[in-house]
Amino acid sequence: MSIETPRWPGGARMAVVVTIDFNDIHDIVAREPSTEGREKTLSVWRYGARRGVDRVLDVLDKHQVRASWFVPGRVAEEHRGLVGQIHAAGHELASNGYRCEIFDKLDLAQQQEAFRRGHGAVAEAVGEAPVGFRSASGNWAPGFADTLRAAGIRWSSSWRGDDLPYFHEPLAAPRLVELPLHYELEDEPYFAFNLYPPVPPGQSRIASYRDVLDNWRQDFAGFRRYGLCYLLRLHPEMIGTTGRIALLDELLGELRGQSDNWFTTGREVADWWAGTQPPNAPGHPVEIFARHIAELPS
Amino acid sequence: MPASSDRSTTVDAPVRWPGGARCAVALAFDLDGPTGNALIDGSIWRNPSFFTLGAYDVWRALPRLLDLLREQGLPATFFVPGWVVETWPERCRAIVADGHEVAYHGYEHEAFWQLSADDQRRVMARSRQIFENHLGVVPVGFRTPSGDWAPETAQILAEAGVVYSSSMRGDDRPYLIDIPGRERPLVEIPGRWELDDYASLAYQRNPNFPAGLDRIASYAATFDNWRREFDGTHRDGLCLTTLFHPKVSAKPGRLLLLERLFEHMRAADGVWFARCREVADWWLAEGHP
């Protein structure tokens, strides 16, 4: 079976998208409600706004990389200055609920409400409506894709299932493009840590920084071999420490050194994909999923 | 079910492999797709992130893995739940077209040790129908989803025409499992956690795997472990099988690990690369215990 070779613009071999989840404390509070009110614990995550965002911005600027930043509405309200700086530096601002709600626990109407409130707050903070969206937990209810489309969202980076972009069902215009995730391209599975309450739940050791960089390099080599879309998902409080920011610096330096990598934002990949690529092939994970959802008893 | 004690051999007793080979390597992949508990209880349909992570297995990882096996001229066995064959028949036909073995792995990756005997029989019958209808193949091999099985499972497998299982962990050579009332024993080709890519590289949140969300291991260290396991197999003249999952180890960056591992194995002298069913046939024909 042959491997599809996508053609990226300008003869690029692959696409590289850096995404940053700037969630402050809201993601950890949503996931681990027992963290609420525990200031030492929360300060682990507050480090992003205090120190990490600046470091990440500096490294992105050094390598002339524009990233896509997902910001929940509450963060746009509470950190208006920082969010404005991110926007002013030329990065894409994208949407992520109001308080990083775990959509799995909400029905469709509640998901729509969280999205609208979050989307509105980010739009107000930066003066333009985001066209990208990420569901913090990766999930949403059937029908939610229509909500996103109706609100002008053109791309999501929430689901998995591929290493190229694909279209969400239904395929009605305007198409909603998914830029799928891979855990090994996220910093959180390697670096998140808190003593009590324990994060991660088994309180495993913080990974070797050197090994993580090596893994990301090797993942990159594989994505490049097959001409895919390499999408990092980073958190300013994790990658933006004084010791770890050098990993991003080193990685971006190497990747920027190859002139045929298309460094771009989620929005630009999505627009290119929607404008040039045929519908998903039959049997695509997203199509199988939609087919089974439609057959389920309501 | 352990090997009967009178059949035990010592570590020092050399095993004969075909053509005077020094050791056997039966590469095996569990093509689970999105099957498993969440599919069985229906919760996967509220978890598109998890569903798509599983579906990547068949949709993207499998074709690239087949390319790699073809390039390296290596045979393999794919244990495939019936649901996966039904859902992606074209993708699964490519496995057969490339000359690999396909074998049973439940319908939805059911834990056989939790099923009644009747339900186990139903899963086997349904799986056989699916393999025949979609792939034109009647498998002779079985790997228990989850590995564990019920007291009557071996008997049920024999009734279903299964010749070998690759479900257990407790040896580094095949062994025989006697089935009451049947002349022909079942051949067991045990795997090892050390050669299960889940133990090093799998990661998923909600549902959590590993349960404590331990870190994804270093790729370089993982490769080094796997290489050392093969080197030991080669040194001692044993039989190595893998419990690799395309969605875990045939992702773009990790295929490079498999590629290096396969190259390392092929560079060694006297390695018999075989499908599991060939290992089972050899073991029976040789009258090994």
Side-chain angles (χ1 to χ4, degrees):
Chain A
M1 200 170 295
S2 67
I3 302 298
E4 299 93 315
T5 308
R7 281 169 299 154
W8 300 104
R13 184 173 176 107
M14 66 183 299
V16 183
V17 180
V18 179
T19 71
I20 321 275
D21 287 10
F22 175 25
N23 295 329
D24 198 54
I25 62 170
H26 299 292
D27 184 45
I28 194 63
V29 169
R31 276 165 49 195
E32 300 283 346
S34 66
T35 57
E36 183 115 52
R38 299 185 61 139
E39 278 306 313
K40 191 260 329 199
T41 292
L42 294 179
S43 69
V44 173
W45 279 268
R46 292 193 201 283
Y47 180 89
R50 191 175 286 272
R51 304 293 285 165
V53 169
D54 281 349
R55 283 209 186 90
V56 171
L57 282 174
D58 282 352
V59 165
L60 294 174
D61 182 57
K62 174 180 170 186
H63 296 285
Q64 298 289 297
V65 170
R66 286 171 304 126
S68 296
W69 294 67
F70 292 96
V71 180
R74 191 80 186 127
V75 170
E77 291 168 356
E78 291 174 339
H79 298 286
R80 205 164 174 133
L82 268 183
V83 169
Q85 272 181 44
I86 295 166
H87 186 245
H91 299 289
E92 175 181 10
L93 268 299
S95 192
N96 171 10
Y98 182 67
R99 283 182 183 269
C100 274
E101 293 83 358
I102 308 290
F103 275 26
D104 311 48
K105 297 175 181 169
L106 306 183
D107 64 23
L108 178 59
Q110 292 168 322
Q111 293 176 10
Q112 289 167 332
E113 175 55 25
F115 164 72
R116 286 196 187 106
R117 197 170 171 205
H119 192 61
V122 177
E124 195 187 310
V126 298
E128 65 177 318
V131 299
F133 172 77
R134 172 170 285 160
S135 157
S137 73
N139 293 322
W140 63 57
F144 185 74
D146 288 327
T147 304
L148 293 178
R149 250 194 300 268
I153 296 293
R154 303 204 295 268
W155 70 284
S156 152
S157 181
S158 309
W159 290 15
R160 299 174 189 274
D162 209 335
D163 33 40
L164 291 168
Y166 58 83
F167 299 112
H168 276 283
E169 303 266 346
L171 283 174
R175 284 185 178 163
L176 179 63
V177 178
E178 177 67 28
L179 305 190
L181 297 167
H182 297 267
Y183 281 109
E184 61 272 27
L185 301 183
E186 303 183 15
D187 54 4
E188 201 267 351
Y190 289 111
F191 295 138
F193 189 90
N194 190 53
L195 188 60
Y196 194 80
V199 177
Q203 216 163 59
S204 48
R205 310 294 176 189
I206 294 166
S208 149
Y209 295 1
R210 190 178 50 202
D211 288 347
V212 174
L213 180 58
D214 283 350
N215 283 11
W216 285 344
R217 277 189 184 123
Q218 184 163 329
D219 287 325
F220 182 81
F223 273 70
R224 184 173 162 84
R225 170 189 267 196
Y226 296 108
L228 306 173
C229 178
Y230 182 84
L231 183 143
L232 290 168
R233 180 187 192 181
L234 306 173
H235 298 74
E237 70 276 18
M238 291 178 211
I239 196 67
T241 70
T242 184
R244 294 176 193 144
I245 195 66
L247 302 179
L248 185 62
D249 187 16
E250 211 170 318
L251 185 69
L252 292 180
E254 289 172 21
L255 274 43
R256 281 303 245 172
Q258 298 168 330
S259 59
D260 52 354
N261 296 328
W262 183 35
F263 266 88
T264 185
T265 59
R267 173 170 52 200
E268 286 170 4
V269 172
D271 287 349
W272 182 82
W273 199 263
T276 63
Q277 297 296 303
N280 309 319
H284 191 281
V286 76
E287 186 232 1
I288 302 284
F289 186 77
R291 190 199 306 164
H292 280 275
I293 282 284
E295 288 167 358
L296 287 183
S298 53
Chain B
M1 192 174 294
S4 54
S5 58
D6 61 330
R7 287 203 153 116
S8 65
T9 55
T10 68
V11 168
D12 294 324
V15 179
R16 273 169 32 87
W17 296 110
R22 187 179 177 95
C23 71
V25 169
L27 296 176
F29 299 89
D30 295 4
L31 189 70
D32 296 335
T35 65
N37 292 346
L39 185 65
I40 292 166
D41 69 20
S43 62
I44 203 158
W45 304 117
R46 294 187 298 281
N47 195 339
S49 175
F50 188 40
F51 177 88
T52 50
L53 181 140
Y56 181 93
D57 203 30
V58 200
W59 184 249
R60 287 289 179 214
L62 173 67
R64 293 193 190 120
L65 174 62
L66 290 176
D67 283 350
L68 176 62
L69 292 169
R70 197 181 312 116
E71 283 161 20
Q72 301 231 2
L74 292 171
T77 300
F78 287 80
F79 296 96
V80 193
W83 192 91
V84 167
V85 177
E86 243 176 8
T87 306
W88 287 282
E90 288 296 332
R91 287 287 202 262
C92 293
R93 276 197 279 274
I95 303 171
V96 178
D98 275 11
H100 302 297
E101 179 187 9
V102 287
Y104 294 121
H105 201 42
Y107 176 68
E108 295 176 302
H109 206 273
E110 298 85 355
F112 269 53
W113 65 279
Q114 294 173 323
L115 296 186
S116 70
D118 282 350
D119 283 344
Q120 293 175 56
R121 285 195 177 89
R122 270 192 281 275
V123 168
M124 292 307 297
R126 187 174 190 183
S127 302
R128 178 186 169 123
Q129 205 64 58
I130 291 166
F131 276 88
E132 274 193 287
N133 290 351
H134 290 289
L135 308 181
V137 169
V138 177
V140 298
F142 175 80
R143 178 171 278 171
T144 333
S146 88
D148 284 308
W149 67 25
E152 64 280 1
T153 302
Q155 177 75 44
I156 290 168
L157 296 178
E159 287 168 18
V162 167
V163 173
Y164 76 87
S165 144
S166 178
S167 309
M168 304 300 158
R169 298 289 186 276
D171 206 334
D172 37 36
R173 301 151 301 179
Y175 59 87
L176 300 182
I177 296 170
D178 286 324
I179 299 168
R182 286 198 173 244
E183 196 178 323
R184 193 175 69 180
L186 200 62
V187 182
E188 172 62 35
I189 306 170
R192 302 281 311 160
W193 285 116
E194 307 83 283
L195 288 159
D196 183 333
D197 53 14
Y198 257 67
S200 307
L201 300 177
Y203 190 93
Q204 152 73 23
R205 197 199 295 132
N206 175 32
N208 288 358
F209 186 90
L213 290 179
D214 199 357
R215 314 299 180 181
I216 299 164
S218 147
Y219 295 175
T222 300
F223 170 78
D224 188 61
N225 289 359
W226 290 348
R227 181 188 62 76
R228 288 171 187 276
E229 289 296 332
F230 167 77
D231 289 349
T233 296
H234 188 254
R235 182 191 65 227
D236 294 341
L238 306 171
C239 173
L240 177 156
T241 192
T242 55
L243 294 112
F244 288 162
H245 303 74
K247 65 185 167 194
V248 176
S249 54
K251 300 195 79 175
R254 297 162 177 184
L255 262 169
L256 305 174
L257 294 182
L258 293 185
E259 187 173 57
R260 286 171 57 202
L261 181 66
F262 297 164
E263 280 167 1
H264 178 74
M265 289 172 167
R266 286 169 62 228
D269 288 332
V271 181
W272 181 45
F273 290 100
R275 298 158 195 84
C276 288
R277 67 171 179 240
E278 291 156 343
V279 173
D281 287 347
W282 171 261
W283 204 259
L284 284 170
E286 281 288 289
H288 279 298

